Amino acid sequence: MTTHVSGSLPLPRTEKYSLWVIRFMLPLGWLALLTGMFWIGDRSLYHKLFYAFLAFPTLLAVLLSPLQLRQLFQSLLLRTYVLFALYVSLSLAWSPERGELSLIKYPLYVLMMLFAAALMARHYPNLIIKTTLLSAGIASLSALVTLAWYLKQGAQGRLEGYGALYNPLLTTHIYGFYAAFWLAAWCSKVRISPWITLPALAIVLLLILCTGSRTPLFALAMSMLWLTLARPNRRTLFIVGSVFVGFVGLILIDPTLLTQRGASFRPAIWADAWQQIRQDFWFGHGFDAAMRIDLPEVGHTLADPHNLSLGVMYQTGLTGLILWALLYLTALIQGWRLRHDPAVLITGTLVVFGLAAGMTEGSSFLSRPKEHWFLVWIPLALLNVAVTYRIAVREHQTAITSTG
């Protein structure tokens, strides 16, 4: 799908250049964003990949054809994000350090990523679909190589990850994203062979289990619940039944596997964070305000509340939390209304996974590209693409029917 049809007036030269960037540069940048952490080996290089192959080309495509912005901002989700980002940027005015203006670049990075996905979907929807699917395949291959290396090293302790991935929990943010993708792809009966989806899902799930992290397991359970409610069929019921049987079996074999690490001090961390939030309840401490949580039982200072929503509220107050909730509410309502479309169902599952994972981890809701993007912004970008495209197709079909 492109913006012009055969027989129409020739496109201006600048718009042709814009389309060239969208067609050849943005898919490469999208692939780098979704897979770079697996092979780049260094976080600073990963950031540079994003700047060079996605952020800058997206800005260039928009500058060459600025009229596209009007169509992009027809998306309710995109408008809601801009409102949230503007308020977050405004909060720098009352930050303890009176705000580093350079931090405004972080909301702009996310905006460029949202624009990139929307531009590809608008002009070349098959490209973003194929690129995302290729990324999921690379993720499973990376998981297989990582597991092989972990076994070769003796499989001692928790699998932490390699290269740019060095923390068990952060590693599962990315692999959990792809586990949710393969799970939803199989349950939605999208046109991908089960001989691909099920082995890919099994490999990624095995890696997640080797990390010993429970956050992705909880998030995947919520994803299964979403799939069961949104698309009740034999596959979703089979998945839920299998998980229940496995859970009961695990308790019978060794119940300490679930209880030995307790709640990892989460209730105490949240209570301390809440006390700090109450000090600036309505508008927050500001976007660059750093949180410090000192608990004797933890033994070291924590820099975040291990809950994305609490992180949002600490820096932007109740006002920011309302806008954050509005962003997710918009996404989930749209995802539910169009859940019978396989692409919307899959991307809606990714949003649910990220939302659930963010309940027990993190605070970095706006940042450079990192693991948390796979919980928040990449799922929202993909859902926005799927919803916008489905609505456009429906409107096109309605127009043909009415003229016929």
Side-chain angles (χ1 to χ4, degrees):
M1 182 177 68
T2 59
T3 55
H4 65 286
V5 295
S6 179
S8 62
L9 294 175
L11 292 173
R13 182 174 298 179
T14 55
E15 190 164 344
K16 289 182 180 178
Y17 292 154
S18 177
L19 288 173
W20 186 92
V21 171
I22 294 168
R23 183 175 184 180
F24 294 104
M25 291 294 294
L26 295 193
L28 183 62
W30 190 252
L31 184 67
L33 175 67
L34 266 60
T35 67
M37 296 287 278
F38 302 139
W39 48 266
I40 195 62
D42 184 88
R43 284 169 180 269
S44 63
L45 291 178
Y46 179 65
H47 297 153
K48 291 173 183 176
L49 273 179
F50 171 77
Y51 305 147
F53 292 100
L54 196 70
F56 177 73
T58 301
L59 179 61
L60 180 61
V62 170
L63 292 176
L64 287 171
S65 183
L67 291 178
Q68 296 179 104
L69 288 174
R70 180 184 301 176
Q71 293 171 315
L72 292 180
F73 277 109
Q74 290 178 357
S75 163
L76 178 60
L77 189 64
L78 191 54
R79 295 200 301 268
T80 306
Y81 167 74
V82 170
L83 183 62
F84 173 72
L86 287 174
Y87 176 74
V88 170
S89 301
L90 179 64
S91 74
L92 289 169
W94 58 81
S95 294
E97 305 298 329
R98 290 295 179 266
E100 264 189 67
L101 291 179
S102 62
L103 293 179
I104 293 176
K105 64 189 177 185
Y106 295 151
L108 290 177
Y109 291 156
V110 174
L111 184 63
M112 288 301 103
M113 188 271 294
L114 293 171
F115 277 169
L119 286 170
M120 283 187 286
R122 177 170 174 255
H123 296 289
Y124 307 105
N126 287 335
L127 269 180
I128 190 171
I129 292 171
K130 292 178 179 178
T131 304
T132 303
L133 185 57
L134 176 61
S135 300
I138 293 174
S140 296
L141 180 62
S142 173
L144 184 61
V145 172
T146 300
L147 284 168
W149 181 257
Y150 177 65
L151 292 173
K152 183 180 178 181
Q153 298 291 78
Q156 296 297 317
R158 299 172 64 185
L159 189 156
E160 296 182 348
Y162 303 98
L165 298 171
Y166 60 85
N167 178 287
L169 183 55
L170 297 180
T171 297
T172 60
H173 289 351
I174 299 182
Y175 285 111
F177 168 91
Y178 286 109
F181 175 88
W182 288 120
L183 175 67
W186 185 67
C187 290
S188 66
K189 299 182 179 180
V190 72
R191 293 181 181 178
I192 305 175
S193 171
W195 293 103
I196 296 176
T197 54
L198 290 179
L201 174 61
I203 292 169
V204 179
L205 280 177
L206 181 58
L207 183 145
I208 291 173
L209 290 173
C210 289
T211 66
S213 297
R214 293 167 296 177
T215 291
L217 300 180
F218 167 72
L220 285 170
M222 294 299 100
S223 301
M224 292 175 193
L225 178 61
W226 163 268
L227 286 167
T228 304
L229 295 174
R231 184 68 66 86
N233 56 39
R234 283 184 293 181
R235 290 190 177 187
T236 56
L237 295 177
F238 171 78
I239 285 289
V240 172
S242 299
V243 170
F244 179 77
V245 171
F247 181 76
V248 172
L250 188 61
I251 292 176
L252 294 175
I253 295 172
D254 188 358
T256 62
L257 291 175
L258 298 175
T259 60
Q260 61 185 349
R261 287 165 54 204
S264 298
F265 308 110
R266 290 298 194 275
I269 294 170
W270 295 336
D272 190 283
W274 176 249
Q275 292 303 317
Q276 296 185 49
I277 288 169
R278 291 177 61 187
Q279 297 171 11
D280 286 283
F281 181 76
W282 296 104
F283 302 108
H285 294 74
F287 182 35
D288 68 343
M291 176 178 280
R292 293 290 182 268
I293 297 177
D294 293 298
L295 297 175
E297 57 267 42
V298 175
H300 61 272
T301 300
L302 298 174
D304 67 74
H306 286 69
N307 183 294
L308 278 173
S309 296
L310 287 179
V312 171
M313 196 172 184
Y314 175 78
Q315 292 188 332
T316 64
L318 181 63
T319 305
L321 183 65
I322 291 172
L323 294 174
W324 174 263
L326 183 62
L327 186 66
Y328 271 104
L329 188 62
T330 301
L332 293 175
I333 289 175
Q334 290 181 332
W336 180 260
R337 286 177 176 172
L338 298 172
R339 64 190 182 278
H340 298 295
D341 180 84
V344 175
L345 181 66
I346 293 171
T347 54
T349 303
L350 297 177
V351 171
V352 170
F353 172 84
L355 181 61
M359 291 180 181
T360 60
E361 212 299 297
S363 69
S364 185
F365 58 94
L366 278 176
S367 65
R368 292 184 178 92
K370 58 191 296 186
E371 294 91 347
H372 292 86
W373 278 38
F374 286 82
L375 299 184
V376 183
W377 305 118
I378 294 174
L380 289 174
L382 288 171
L383 179 63
N384 181 55
V385 162
V387 168
T388 301
Y389 182 69
R390 176 49 49 199
I391 291 174
V393 169
R394 180 183 293 177
E395 291 177 349
H396 181 66
Q397 292 173 343
T398 302
I400 292 177
T401 303
S402 61
T403 55

